[in-house]
Amino acid sequence: MTADTTGGGTAGVAVRGLTVLYDAQCSLCTFLRDWLVRQPQLVPLEMVPAGSDEARRRFPGLDHAATLDEITVVGDAGQVYRGGAAWIVTLWALREHRGLAQRLSTPAGVRVAKGAVLAAAKWRGSTWGGTKQGGGTWGGAKPADGTWGGRAYGRGDGWSYDPSWGWTYNPPGCADGSCATSQ
């Protein structure tokens, strides 16, 4: 499992507590928050609304706009988990789901976790058309006039998001011989 160690010197430090930053304006996020707090926990989970004054006070070094776009979990020693790794570490904290988290932490499992995160992101975007319940913008991605701006979002690992089509995956090419499967 990978984590940003923005707290400095957190590699190999035991995790004794996790703070899950969730989007309080997202019905899926609040449903998952409620589900998580009902689960037996091996590692205590604390739920804090992403982008809130409390989140900003507790984690001043985080990009709080980004925490509204992508699930973020912060360990008690400053470890920062995002996206698929955040989902995996959260499951790892739950007594009945630690085995699943260990399976998802494999290379193949990380792809499954990433797919789940991308599916949730697509659901969030399609549910509100980019606008949060209560009138705010989802993750600050839309300008004040409510338009998206037509921008597509691409990542180096082959995943891209286009507001017209949603998330798509186009694996990087192997023409330069850099693929693991290329001989």
Side-chain angles (χ1 to χ4, degrees):
M1 189 160 332
T2 62
D4 295 340
T5 53
T6 56
T10 59
V13 175
V15 176
R16 293 183 179 17
L18 294 167
T19 301
V20 178
L21 300 174
Y22 70 95
D23 185 348
Q25 299 298 314
C26 165
S27 61
L28 175 62
C29 303
T30 56
F31 173 83
L32 290 171
R33 175 210 55 205
D34 294 344
W35 179 81
L36 287 168
V37 299
R38 290 191 310 267
Q39 301 305 304
Q41 299 171 5
L42 296 171
V43 175
L45 296 175
E46 186 174 359
M47 306 296 165
V48 174
S52 67
D53 290 340
E54 175 70 8
R56 291 176 194 284
R57 184 187 64 74
R58 291 178 61 182
F59 310 111
L62 282 181
D63 176 353
H64 290 278
T67 66
L68 288 166
D69 287 335
E70 184 173 40
I71 181 173
T72 304
V73 176
V74 182
D76 58 337
Q79 307 94 328
V80 177
Y81 305 88
R82 291 187 175 89
W87 285 101
I88 293 169
V89 77
T90 301
L91 289 172
W92 172 83
L94 304 175
R95 184 181 71 211
E96 296 174 14
H97 299 283
R98 185 165 274 187
L100 173 60
Q102 290 170 339
R103 288 188 299 278
L104 289 174
S105 68
T106 66
V110 168
R111 287 191 297 275
V112 171
K114 185 181 287 188
V117 170
L118 294 174
K122 185 174 181 178
W123 182 87
R124 286 179 71 199
S126 68
T127 300
W128 313 309
T131 303
K132 287 184 181 180
Q133 299 165 355
T137 59
W138 174 41
K142 292 175 78 177
D145 66 2
T147 61
W148 173 272
R151 295 183 312 245
Y153 169 76
R155 294 174 31 153
D157 62 357
W159 286 100
S160 62
Y161 180 79
D162 183 296
S164 302
W165 300 99
W167 286 98
T168 56
Y169 180 70
N170 294 311
C174 296
D176 63 357
S178 63
C179 293
T181 59
S182 179
Q183 298 277 334

